[in-house]
Amino acid sequence: MDLVPGGHDLLLVEQDGDLSDLSAKGGVMNDNVCPENARQAIMDAAAECFSKKTVRRTTYADIAAISGCDARQIKKEFKTKNQLALTIQARDMKRMKQAYLSSMPDATPDKVIKYILRTRLNFVADNHERMYLFFREGLSGHQPWSKLLDKVIWDLSIELLTLIHKGVRDGLFRQSMDENIITRSILSHYLTGVVVIGLRSEEFDADGVWDFIEPQIDMLFECITT
Amino acid sequence: MDLVPGGHDLLLVEQDGDLSDLSAKGGVMNDNVCPENARQAIMDAAAECFSKKTVRRTTYADIAAISGCDARQIKKEFKTKNQLALTIQARDMKRMKQAYLSSMPDATPDKVIKYILRTRLNFVADNHERMYLFFREGLSGHQPWSKLLDKVIWDLSIELLTLIHKGVRDGLFRQSMDENIITRSILSHYLTGVVVIGLRSEEFDADGVWDFIEPQIDMLFECITT
């Protein structure tokens, strides 16, 4: 299956399972030593510390103090603070997606597409440091993060494609346009905004990145609207 | 001045000077110990070694043997092999651009835009390892490479904008479209193709990346053509 629907075959992604599977099987955390509730408590405690003090400044002792788990146990379970941060990121990305899918506005597909992209940008801004780690590892081809990046791009592609298809069916978008190419194009606008514009600066400026992305999306919609 | 013409103000770039200035002033190589002809000989020798053996496997002794310069002198001049590789990359990007600007086909702006992007993709493929280093450092915000990345994006934006403007003037493209947004859109297609699709795999597959980019560019041209 392609990274981007109807696209090339440079990178293949397994589409069954969800993001959290990456930690459960085949990923870096495949020999979990903690019960699941302890893992979640550690992740919650770490997320709190990371957002207060950054990943670099957080110590295992900080996480132990909040979670009530032993610092050595935490280190044994997650190997490094970066791995812990990335595991939290995978979990939170799944939660973010579930949250916005359940609160999707009842609007035309073009507006919903913009809502999804804007919501995702806010999520990136709220988790700038972890997002930066995630893209750095993923774009470097390091596993399991590269595979997770494929999965994130694939999921977004499917959401976009579904909405574009709905737009065509509802008579909003022209039937003559290739739905896969439109999907790919929106994806390119979004990814360039996030990776090349946003994550390069010290603070991720979601409004600034949206100012970069939105006019491109609007122009595209103008082109494909009936 | 904006990173992308007519765009946001997230990243500012000084536009005077050229790529090689980065090594001469304010960059990492501001205390050159070699005369310019020796520097060029070292860069030529290193480029040869890097493409034969990779940057990692090349030793200062290898470069010394070919350039005729002392290995310690080379290390003193360029600090690290990665810095040397990136300095060569900056020089070669400038050369690549001069070469294609002088051999630009006499064709309509849409075809010239595709020629430029395709030529740049081939250059990335020919210098995969150095390009990967360059984007990794640039996207991480490390100087002077982040500034150089801004410069590269800016230069490409100006080339694209000039051609789109010519297309509008010649009556090929519709006047009602925003030339800056079109430029930004082409840039997004290209950068996503290079960074997210191409540089993530072990071998940079220029044809595969072009297969990702070209249909998006074609769709855009279809939209803006009179």
Side-chain angles (χ1 to χ4, degrees), chain A residues 3-4 8 10-11 132 136 138-141 146-147 149-150 153 174 177-178 181-182 184-185 187-189 191-192 195-197 199-201 205 208-209 211-213 215-216 219-220 222-223, chain B residues 3-4 8 10-11 132 136 138-141 146-147 149-150 153 174 177-178 181-182 184-185 187-189 191-192 195-197 199-201 205 208-209 211-213 215-216 219-220 222-223:
Chain A
L3 173 64
V4 179
H8 55 91
L10 284 172
L11 289 160
Y132 173 79
R136 193 187 65 189
L139 290 175
S140 299
S146 182
K147 196 172 166 182
L149 179 55
D150 287 343
I153 294 175
R174 287 160 47 195
M177 310 303 285
D178 185 322
I181 310 296
I182 296 167
R184 224 188 276 186
S185 195
L187 208 61
S188 294
H189 301 327
L191 288 171
T192 297
V195 176
V196 183
I197 310 293
L199 287 171
R200 200 140 57 100
S201 46
D205 173 9
V209 174
D211 287 346
F212 174 83
I213 296 174
Q216 302 179 61
M219 185 178 74
L220 183 67
E222 199 189 314
C223 287
Chain B
L3 173 64
V4 179
H8 55 90
L10 284 172
L11 288 159
Y132 173 79
R136 195 188 62 188
L139 291 176
S140 299
S146 183
K147 198 172 166 183
L149 180 55
D150 286 342
I153 293 174
R174 287 158 51 192
M177 309 303 285
D178 186 321
I181 309 297
I182 297 167
R184 223 189 275 186
S185 195
L187 208 60
S188 293
H189 301 327
L191 288 171
T192 297
V195 176
V196 183
I197 311 293
L199 287 171
R200 200 141 57 101
S201 47
D205 174 9
V209 175
D211 286 344
F212 174 82
I213 295 173
Q216 301 179 62
M219 186 179 72
L220 182 67
E222 200 189 313
C223 288

Side-chain angles (χ1 to χ4, degrees), chain B residues 157-193:
Chain B
S157 301
I158 294 297
E159 285 171 26
L160 295 174
L161 187 60
T162 308
L163 285 159
I164 289 160
H165 187 68
K166 186 177 185 302
V168 172
R169 219 181 42 218
D170 295 354
L172 176 69
F173 298 142
R174 287 158 51 192
Q175 274 195 329
S176 59
M177 309 303 285
D178 186 321
E179 297 173 14
N180 290 315
I181 309 297
I182 297 167
T183 299
R184 223 189 275 186
S185 195
I186 296 173
L187 208 60
S188 293
H189 301 327
Y190 175 75
L191 288 171
T192 297

Side-chain angles (χ1 to χ4, degrees), chain A residues 153-164:
Chain A
I153 294 175
W154 177 267
D155 281 350
L156 177 55
S157 301
I158 294 297
E159 285 171 25
L160 295 173
L161 187 60
T162 307
L163 286 159
I164 290 161

Side-chain angles (χ1 to χ4, degrees), chain A residues 11-40:
Chain A
L11 289 160
L12 303 181
V13 204
E14 292 207 2
Q15 296 312 325
D16 47 349
D18 59 37
L19 298 182
S20 59
D21 288 357
L22 280 162
S23 56
K25 57 173 189 206
V28 285
M29 272 68 71
N30 48 5
D31 51 349
N32 301 351
V33 291
C34 291
E36 189 51 34
N37 58 350
R39 277 177 63 84
Q40 293 299 326

Side-chain angles (χ1 to χ4, degrees), chain B residues 133-146:
Chain B
L133 265 179
F134 170 63
F135 271 103
R136 195 188 62 188
E137 296 298 312
L139 291 176
S140 299
H142 297 162
Q143 298 301 355
W145 313 114
S146 183

